[in-house]
Amino acid sequence: MTRQSIAVELESAADRIGDVSRADLQIILRRAALMLRNTTGVPLEPATEDALNSIAAEMKVGRSYLIQVILREWLETNAYLPVREIDEDSETDGSA
């Protein structure tokens, strides 16, 4: 089961809550709990975690966004992704 299918199943059950049996509701909720339990991030060392949180706060961006930027730039630098071209004649406000 995918996260999307569980979300659809939960919404459907909510729409017809009076018609859903207790057993069916238990099954749906257990599937959702299992899916949530198995959805984890990448475990990081405490020092790395602290550094990411500090940098994200300093830059006023979300932690996940910061991780995406770092990963994309690392992949580009190491030739795993094509480097994005920047139009030097265009005006920017300094953000990506």
Side-chain angles (χ1 to χ4, degrees), residues 72-85:
R72 182 185 64 235
E73 288 183 5
W74 184 88
L75 290 169
E76 288 173 353
T77 300
N78 291 286
Y80 292 106
L81 281 178
V83 177
R84 294 172 291 142
E85 291 186 29

Side-chain angles (χ1 to χ4, degrees), residues 22-40:
R22 179 183 168 103
D24 287 343
L25 191 54
Q26 281 181 317
I27 291 169
I28 293 168
L29 292 173
R30 287 183 197 278
R31 285 180 185 162
L34 181 63
M35 183 68 70
L36 289 172
R37 196 175 299 118
N38 290 331
T39 304
T40 60

Side-chain angles (χ1 to χ4, degrees), residues 22-66:
R22 179 183 168 103
D24 287 343
L25 191 54
Q26 281 181 317
I27 291 169
I28 293 168
L29 292 173
R30 287 183 197 278
R31 285 180 185 162
L34 181 63
M35 183 68 70
L36 289 172
R37 196 175 299 118
N38 290 331
T39 304
T40 60
V42 176
L44 301 172
E45 296 174 354
T48 304
E49 189 84 35
D50 290 344
L52 280 173
N53 291 335
S54 295
I55 295 167
E58 182 180 314
M59 295 176 66
K60 296 182 175 106
V61 297
R63 185 176 172 274
S64 62
Y65 174 76
L66 178 63

